[in-house]
Coordinates of all heavy atoms in Angstrom, one line a residue:
A1 N 150.6 200.2 130.3 CA 149.9 201.4 129.9 C 148.7 201.6 130.9 O 148.4 202.7 131.3 CB 149.4 201.4 128.5
H2 N 148.1 200.5 131.2 CA 146.9 200.7 132.0 C 147.1 201.0 133.4 O 146.1 201.3 134.2 CB 146.0 199.4 132.1 CG 146.6 198.3 132.7 ND1 147.5 197.3 132.1 CD2 146.5 197.8 134.0 CE1 147.9 196.4 132.9 NE2 147.3 196.6 134.2
R3 N 148.4 201.1 133.9 CA 148.6 201.5 135.2 C 149.4 202.9 135.3 O 149.9 203.3 136.3 CB 149.6 200.5 135.9 CG 148.9 199.1 136.1 CD 149.7 198.3 137.0 NE 149.9 198.8 138.3 CZ 150.8 198.4 139.2 NH1 151.6 197.4 138.9 NH2 150.9 199.0 140.4
M4 N 149.2 203.6 134.2 CA 149.8 205.0 134.1 C 148.9 206.0 135.0 O 149.5 206.8 135.7 CB 150.0 205.5 132.8 CG 150.9 204.7 131.9 SD 152.6 204.4 132.7 CE 153.2 206.1 132.7
A5 N 147.6 205.9 134.9 CA 146.8 206.7 135.6 C 147.0 206.7 137.1 O 146.9 207.8 137.7 CB 145.3 206.5 135.3
E6 N 147.2 205.6 137.6 CA 147.3 205.5 139.1 C 148.6 206.2 139.7 O 148.7 206.5 140.9 CB 147.3 204.0 139.6 CG 148.5 203.2 139.1 CD 148.4 201.8 139.6 OE1 147.3 201.2 139.4 OE2 149.4 201.2 139.9
I7 N 149.6 206.5 138.8 CA 150.7 207.3 139.3 C 150.7 208.7 139.0 O 151.4 209.6 139.4 CB 152.1 206.7 138.7 CG1 152.2 206.8 137.3 CG2 152.3 205.3 139.2 CD1 153.6 206.6 136.7
G8 N 149.5 209.1 138.2 CA 149.3 210.5 138.0 C 149.6 211.0 136.6 O 149.8 212.2 136.5
I9 N 149.5 210.1 135.6 CA 149.7 210.6 134.2 C 148.4 210.3 133.5 O 148.0 209.2 133.4 CB 150.9 209.9 133.5 CG1 152.3 210.1 134.3 CG2 151.0 210.2 132.0 CD1 153.4 209.4 133.7
G10 N 147.8 211.4 133.0 CA 146.5 211.3 132.2 C 146.7 211.7 130.8 O 147.7 212.5 130.5
R11 N 145.9 211.4 129.9 CA 146.0 211.6 128.5 C 144.7 211.8 127.8 O 143.7 211.1 128.1 CB 146.8 210.5 127.8 CG 147.0 210.6 126.4 CD 147.7 209.5 125.6 NE 147.7 209.8 124.3 CZ 148.5 209.1 123.4 NH1 149.4 208.2 123.8 NH2 148.5 209.5 122.1
T12 N 144.7 212.7 126.8 CA 143.6 212.8 125.8 C 144.2 212.3 124.5 O 145.4 212.1 124.3 CB 143.1 214.2 125.6 OG1 144.2 215.0 125.0 CG2 142.6 214.7 126.9
F13 N 143.3 212.0 123.5 CA 143.8 211.5 122.2 C 143.4 212.4 121.0 O 142.3 213.0 121.1 CB 143.2 210.1 121.9 CG 143.8 209.1 122.9 CD1 143.3 208.9 124.2 CD2 144.9 208.2 122.6 CE1 143.8 208.0 125.1 CE2 145.3 207.3 123.4 CZ 144.8 207.2 124.7
Q14 N 144.1 212.5 120.0 CA 143.7 213.3 118.8 C 142.5 212.7 118.2 O 141.6 213.5 117.9 CB 144.9 213.2 117.7 CG 144.6 213.9 116.5 CD 145.7 213.9 115.4 OE1 146.7 213.3 115.7 NE2 145.4 214.4 114.3
N15 N 142.4 211.4 118.0 CA 141.2 210.7 117.6 C 140.4 210.3 119.0 O 140.9 209.5 119.6 CB 141.4 209.5 116.8 CG 142.2 210.0 115.5 OD1 141.9 210.8 114.8 ND2 143.2 209.1 115.1
L16 N 139.3 211.0 119.1 CA 138.5 210.8 120.4 C 138.4 209.3 120.8 O 138.0 208.5 119.9 CB 137.2 211.5 120.3 CG 137.2 212.9 120.2 CD1 135.8 213.6 119.9 CD2 137.8 213.6 121.4
A17 N 138.6 209.0 121.9 CA 138.5 207.7 122.5 C 137.4 207.6 123.5 O 137.5 206.9 124.6 CB 139.9 207.2 123.1
L18 N 136.2 208.1 123.1 CA 135.1 208.1 124.1 C 134.1 206.9 123.8 O 134.4 206.2 122.7 CB 134.3 209.4 123.9 CG 135.0 210.7 124.3 CD1 134.2 211.9 123.8 CD2 135.3 210.8 125.8
F19 N 133.3 206.6 124.7 CA 132.3 205.5 124.4 C 131.0 206.3 123.9 O 130.2 207.0 124.8 CB 132.0 204.8 125.8 CG 133.2 204.1 126.2 CD1 134.0 204.6 127.1 CD2 133.4 202.7 125.9 CE1 135.1 203.9 127.6 CE2 134.6 202.0 126.3 CZ 135.4 202.5 127.2
P20 N 130.7 206.2 122.7 CA 129.6 207.1 122.1 C 128.2 206.9 122.5 O 127.5 207.8 122.5 CB 129.8 206.8 120.5 CG 130.5 205.5 120.4 CD 131.4 205.4 121.6
N21 N 127.9 205.7 122.9 CA 126.7 205.3 123.4 C 126.4 205.5 124.9 O 125.2 205.4 125.3 CB 126.3 203.9 123.1 CG 126.2 203.6 121.6 OD1 125.8 204.5 120.8 ND2 126.8 202.4 121.2
L22 N 127.4 205.9 125.7 CA 127.3 206.2 127.0 C 127.1 207.6 127.3 O 127.5 208.5 126.3 CB 128.5 205.8 127.8 CG 128.7 204.4 127.9 CD1 130.0 204.0 128.8 CD2 127.6 203.5 128.4
S23 N 126.5 208.1 128.2 CA 126.3 209.5 128.5 C 127.6 210.3 128.8 O 128.7 209.7 129.1 CB 125.4 209.8 129.8 OG 126.1 209.3 131.0
V24 N 127.6 211.6 128.7 CA 128.7 212.4 129.1 C 129.2 212.1 130.5 O 130.3 211.9 130.7 CB 128.3 213.9 129.0 CG1 129.4 214.7 129.6 CG2 128.1 214.3 127.6
R25 N 128.3 212.0 131.6 CA 128.6 211.8 132.8 C 129.2 210.3 133.0 O 130.3 210.2 133.8 CB 127.3 211.8 133.7 CG 127.7 211.6 135.3 CD 126.4 211.5 136.1 NE 125.9 212.9 136.3 CZ 124.9 213.5 135.6 NH1 124.1 212.7 134.8 NH2 124.4 214.6 135.8
D26 N 128.8 209.3 132.3 CA 129.3 208.0 132.6 C 130.7 207.9 131.9 O 131.7 207.3 132.4 CB 128.4 207.0 131.8 CG 127.2 206.7 132.6 OD1 127.3 207.1 133.8 OD2 126.2 206.1 132.1
N27 N 130.9 208.6 130.7 CA 132.2 208.7 130.2 C 133.3 209.3 131.1 O 134.4 208.8 131.3 CB 132.3 209.5 128.9 CG 132.0 208.7 127.7 OD1 132.9 208.0 127.1 ND2 130.8 208.7 127.2
I28 N 132.9 210.4 131.8 CA 133.7 211.0 132.8 C 134.0 210.2 133.9 O 135.1 210.0 134.6 CB 133.1 212.4 133.2 CG1 133.0 213.3 132.0 CG2 134.1 213.2 134.3 CD1 132.3 214.6 132.3
M29 N 132.9 209.4 134.4 CA 133.1 208.5 135.5 C 134.1 207.4 135.2 O 134.9 207.1 136.1 CB 131.8 207.8 135.8 CG 130.7 208.7 136.5 SD 131.0 209.0 138.2 CE 130.4 207.5 139.0
I30 N 134.1 207.0 134.0 CA 135.1 205.9 133.6 C 136.6 206.5 133.7 O 137.4 205.7 134.2 CB 134.8 205.5 132.1 CG1 133.6 204.6 132.0 CG2 136.0 204.7 131.6 CD1 133.1 204.4 130.6
G31 N 136.7 207.7 133.5 CA 138.1 208.2 133.7 C 138.5 208.1 135.2 O 139.6 207.9 135.6
G32 N 137.6 208.5 136.1 CA 137.8 208.5 137.5 C 138.0 207.0 138.0 O 138.9 206.9 139.0
H33 N 137.4 206.1 137.5 CA 137.6 204.7 137.9 C 139.1 204.1 137.5 O 139.5 203.2 138.2 CB 136.6 203.7 137.2 CG 135.3 203.8 137.8 ND1 135.0 203.4 139.1 CD2 134.1 204.2 137.4 CE1 133.8 203.5 139.5 NE2 133.2 204.0 138.4
T34 N 139.8 204.7 136.7 CA 141.2 204.4 136.6 C 142.0 204.7 137.8 O 143.1 204.1 137.9 CB 141.9 205.1 135.3 OG1 141.9 206.6 135.7 CG2 141.1 204.8 134.1
R35 N 141.6 205.6 138.7 CA 142.3 205.7 139.9 C 141.6 205.1 141.1 O 142.0 205.3 142.2 CB 142.4 207.2 140.2 CG 143.2 208.0 139.3 CD 144.8 207.7 139.5 NE 145.3 208.0 140.8 CZ 145.9 209.3 141.1 NH1 146.0 210.1 140.1 NH2 146.3 209.5 142.2
S36 N 140.6 204.3 140.9 CA 139.9 203.6 141.9 C 140.7 202.6 142.7 O 141.4 201.9 142.1 CB 138.6 203.1 141.5 OG 137.9 202.3 142.5
R37 N 140.5 202.6 144.1 CA 141.2 201.6 144.8 C 140.4 200.4 145.2 O 140.9 199.5 145.8 CB 141.8 202.3 146.1 CG 142.9 203.3 145.7 CD 143.5 203.9 147.0 NE 144.4 204.9 146.6 CZ 144.8 206.0 147.4 NH1 144.1 206.2 148.4 NH2 145.8 206.9 147.0
G38 N 139.2 200.4 144.9 CA 138.2 199.4 145.2 C 138.6 198.2 144.4 O 139.0 198.2 143.2
G39 N 138.5 197.0 145.0 CA 138.7 195.7 144.3 C 137.4 195.1 143.8 O 136.4 195.6 144.1
Y40 N 137.5 194.0 143.2 CA 136.3 193.4 142.6 C 135.4 193.0 143.6 O 134.2 193.2 143.6 CB 136.7 192.2 141.8 CG 135.5 191.4 141.2 CD1 134.8 191.8 140.2 CD2 135.1 190.2 141.9 CE1 133.6 191.0 139.7 CE2 134.1 189.5 141.5 CZ 133.3 189.9 140.4 OH 132.3 189.1 140.0
V41 N 135.9 192.3 144.7 CA 135.1 191.9 145.8 C 134.3 193.0 146.6 O 133.1 193.0 146.7 CB 135.9 191.0 146.8 CG1 135.0 190.6 148.0 CG2 136.5 189.8 146.2
S42 N 135.0 194.1 146.9 CA 134.5 195.3 147.6 C 133.4 196.0 146.7 O 132.4 196.3 147.3 CB 135.5 196.2 148.1 OG 136.3 196.7 146.9
D43 N 133.7 196.0 145.5 CA 132.7 196.7 144.6 C 131.5 195.8 144.5 O 130.4 196.2 144.4 CB 133.4 196.8 143.2 CG 134.4 198.1 143.1 OD1 134.5 198.7 144.2 OD2 135.2 198.1 142.2
A44 N 131.7 194.5 144.2 CA 130.6 193.5 144.1 C 129.7 193.5 145.3 O 128.4 193.4 145.1 CB 131.0 192.1 143.6
L45 N 130.2 193.6 146.5 CA 129.4 193.4 147.7 C 129.1 194.8 148.2 O 128.4 194.9 149.2 CB 130.4 192.7 148.8 CG 130.8 191.3 148.5 CD1 131.6 190.8 149.6 CD2 129.5 190.5 148.3
R46 N 129.4 195.9 147.5 CA 129.2 197.2 147.9 C 129.6 197.5 149.4 O 128.8 198.1 150.1 CB 127.6 197.5 147.8 CG 127.1 197.3 146.3 CD 127.5 198.4 145.4 NE 127.0 199.6 145.7 CZ 127.5 200.8 145.3 NH1 128.6 200.8 144.7 NH2 127.0 202.0 145.7

């Protein structure tokens, strides 16, 4: 399931699956990160 976004399938849920304590912008950013190609090392080292 966690690799569906990378082939181009996105989804919303009837019961909202948002992070309530994060901002609107950060919630949207999380969606974009599902298609990110950066790895742990490249992200950590910027």
Side-chain angles (χ1 to χ4, degrees):
H2 68 272
R3 294 192 60 196
M4 298 307 294
E6 67 186 38
I7 64 171
I9 298 179
R11 174 177 183 170
T12 66
F13 293 84
Q14 179 181 354
N15 299 315
L16 295 173
L18 298 169
F19 295 92
N21 295 324
L22 295 182
S23 70
V24 166
R25 180 180 288 105
D26 285 345
N27 268 278
I28 301 171
M29 288 284 287
I30 288 170
H33 278 296
T34 61
R35 290 292 295 270
S36 174
R37 291 179 180 154
Y40 174 78
V41 174
S42 62
D43 288 346
L45 297 178
R46 303 290 294 160

